[in-house]
């Protein structure tokens, strides 16, 4: 009994990878969204660790090849920039 053609095997392998990549991508997006919400709400005490966690999630996704390393770097830079702006506004208002 054969297990199918090579194309079918490649398809099965890609489906497994797709499912795995999907969960990593979803977790990464959730971490980034959570950090952005906290920054937007100016909850800076909770935002800093959330940004750190989001940056870590972006790095993990890039390491696994789910997203491009430059996309991870760009996402981290944007998050940190938003946090820094919010912190500067908070310091100005105080």
């Amino acid at each position: 009994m054969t297990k199918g053609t090579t194309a079918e095997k490649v398809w099965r392998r890609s489906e497994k990878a797709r499912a795995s990549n999907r969960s990593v991508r979803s977790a990464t997006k959730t971490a980034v969204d959570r950090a952005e919400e906290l920054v937007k709400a100016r909850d800076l005490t909770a935002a800093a660790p959330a940004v750190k966690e989001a940056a870590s999630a972006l790095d993990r996704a890039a390491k696994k090849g789910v997203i491009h390393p430059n996309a991870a770097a760009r996402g981290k830079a944007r998050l940190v920039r938003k946090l820094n702006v919010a912190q500067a506004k908070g310091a100005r208002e105080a």
Side-chain angles (χ1 to χ4, degrees), residues 29-72:
K29 284 182 179 181
T30 300
V32 170
D33 288 346
R34 186 175 298 129
E36 285 181 345
E37 285 295 320
L38 289 169
V39 170
K40 197 175 197 179
R42 299 252 179 103
D43 185 3
L44 300 180
T45 55
V51 167
K52 188 175 179 182
E53 176 59 37
S56 178
L58 285 164
D59 283 336
R60 277 195 306 273
K63 183 179 178 184
K64 292 178 181 182
V66 176
I67 62 173
H68 195 277
N70 289 357

Side-chain angles (χ1 to χ4, degrees), residues 2 6 8 13 19-21 30 33 38 42 50-51 65 77 83 89:
T2 61
T6 304
E8 289 168 339
R13 196 177 320 128
S20 175
N21 290 347
T30 300
D33 288 346
L38 289 169
R42 299 252 179 103
V51 167
L83 179 63
K89 284 182 181 177

Side-chain angles (χ1 to χ4, degrees), residues 9-21:
K9 293 173 190 175
V10 170
W11 178 78
R12 282 197 303 269
R13 196 177 320 128
S14 70
E15 284 298 305
K16 284 181 186 176
R18 180 172 166 256
S20 175
N21 290 347

